[in-house]
Amino acid sequence: MHRFFVEPEQVGQEEITIIGNDVNHMKNVLRMKPGEIIGISDGSGIEYTCEILELNKEVKTKILTCLDARRELPSRITLFQGLPKSDKMEWIIQKAVELGVYEIIPVATRNTVVKLDKKKEENKRKRWQAIAESAAKQSKRLYIPQVGALMSFPQAVKRACDMEVRLIPYELAENMAETREIIAGIRPGQSAAVFIGPEGGFGEEEIAMAMQAGMRPITLGKRILRTETAGIAVLSVLMFTLEGEPAAAEKSRE
């Protein structure tokens, strides 16, 4: 069953209207017809099963059932990813979305090699957002994580200051027992920031700035992980730490 995302204002008492790019995709790519059944989410934690009524400039659907799926993690995790080389960012975004990340912020650090002008940055961000949306649909997320604008390291640190948990894996950090204790102490409902350096890692002055802002350096073990591996490793651990049992209740609209 194909799944689509809508804004809350598109959801009515008995019908949901699909607008925008999905309309063309449904009509001309998927060749969908009235009577077909689809899944729809409005990002609120409710998943709707709907029947297509008509496909014109908009797609009208009838709500058949709604499911309180609770598929999202109980904490909002923001990944501050040091901008990597080549197309690694696309892979990172895809996997981070699958693991439940709430938001992804690309960060330019001292060791960042890739340089993006404003035009390239906007084109990249559109591409990255499309990947996030595709990954959200594939993994049956009820929310599409946003890929933010590129930030400098100081801007990213300032942005993270309001988050309750702030983690920065660092290759010179030690004490795995302390890292386990920090991770185990994270509670559902807390917001979390995870900072990952690009190829070459963070500079010493960046780590110092992060620690001054209250971030906790953590170790990911005795092996040095690539930038595309480190964030996924942290997100995987956080997912298992925070994931609760799904509480699903389905209601019929018929």
Side-chain angles (χ1 to χ4, degrees):
M1 182 171 64
H2 293 286
R3 299 177 67 254
F4 302 91
F5 289 90
V6 299
E7 296 297 325
E9 57 267 23
Q10 293 167 237
V11 180
Q13 289 293 321
E14 297 181 355
E15 295 185 357
I16 298 177
T17 301
I18 298 175
I19 59 176
N21 294 333
D22 279 338
V23 175
N24 179 67
H25 186 69
M26 294 172 75
K27 290 169 61 177
N28 301 319
V29 179
L30 298 177
R31 304 288 185 180
M32 304 192 85
K33 304 293 183 184
E36 291 191 52
I37 305 300
I38 60 174
I40 298 177
S41 172
D42 66 357
S44 69
I46 304 296
E47 186 174 70
Y48 300 90
T49 300
C50 300
E51 177 186 354
I52 296 175
L53 298 177
E54 57 183 75
L55 299 92
N56 295 305
K57 291 184 178 180
E58 301 176 336
V59 176
K60 301 286 187 181
T61 71
K62 176 185 177 182
I63 299 173
L64 302 178
T65 64
C66 59
L67 178 67
D68 186 357
R70 308 287 185 187
R71 287 203 187 98
E72 298 300 317
L73 289 178
S75 293
R76 292 184 173 185
I77 302 171
T78 299
L79 175 64
F80 292 86
Q81 173 66 51
L83 199 60
K85 293 184 289 186
S86 65
D87 59 353
K88 293 177 183 177
M89 191 68 174
E90 297 185 3
W91 188 89
I92 291 169
I93 289 169
Q94 183 187 67
K95 301 310 172 188
V97 170
E98 291 176 17
L99 290 168
V101 78
Y102 177 76
E103 183 182 25
I104 300 165
I105 305 291
V107 182
T109 72
R110 189 192 73 174
N111 291 328
T112 296
V113 175
V114 178
K115 306 297 181 185
L116 299 177
D117 58 32
K118 287 297 181 183
K119 184 176 181 181
K120 286 183 178 179
E121 179 188 338
E122 185 57 30
N123 289 337
K124 282 282 190 182
R125 193 152 76 97
K126 288 179 180 178
R127 168 68 177 162
W128 293 337
Q129 189 60 54
I131 290 170
E133 180 172 347
S134 177
K137 290 178 178 178
Q138 183 275 326
S139 56
K140 296 186 178 181
R141 295 277 305 264
L142 300 180
Y143 167 79
I144 302 175
Q146 295 300 299
V147 180
L150 180 66
M151 291 185 178
S152 67
F153 187 78
Q155 287 174 328
V157 169
K158 184 177 180 181
R159 169 71 183 278
C161 279
D162 291 335
M163 299 181 189
E164 295 162 284
V165 179
R166 285 159 281 169
L167 307 177
I168 184 163
Y170 183 41
E171 60 268 25
L172 297 182
E174 297 178 344
N175 198 336
M176 180 60 79
E178 183 180 27
T179 294
R180 290 194 185 99
E181 184 179 339
I182 291 170
I183 296 294
I186 300 173
R187 295 290 176 259
Q190 289 184 312
S191 56
V194 177
F195 276 68
I196 301 296
E199 294 90 350
F202 291 113
E204 290 183 6
E205 73 281 5
E206 290 171 330
I207 293 296
M209 180 188 298
M211 291 179 68
Q212 278 188 332
M215 290 191 195
R216 305 290 299 273
I218 60 172
T219 177
L220 298 181
K222 297 178 181 179
R223 294 153 299 283
I224 301 298
L225 303 183
R226 292 177 179 269
T227 183
E228 65 268 32
T229 308
I232 302 309
V234 177
L235 291 174
S236 297
V237 172
L238 290 176
M239 181 189 71
F240 278 102
T241 300
L242 295 167
E243 193 80 78
E245 291 297 325
E250 188 170 2
K251 297 179 181 179
S252 174
R253 290 297 185 99
E254 295 183 337

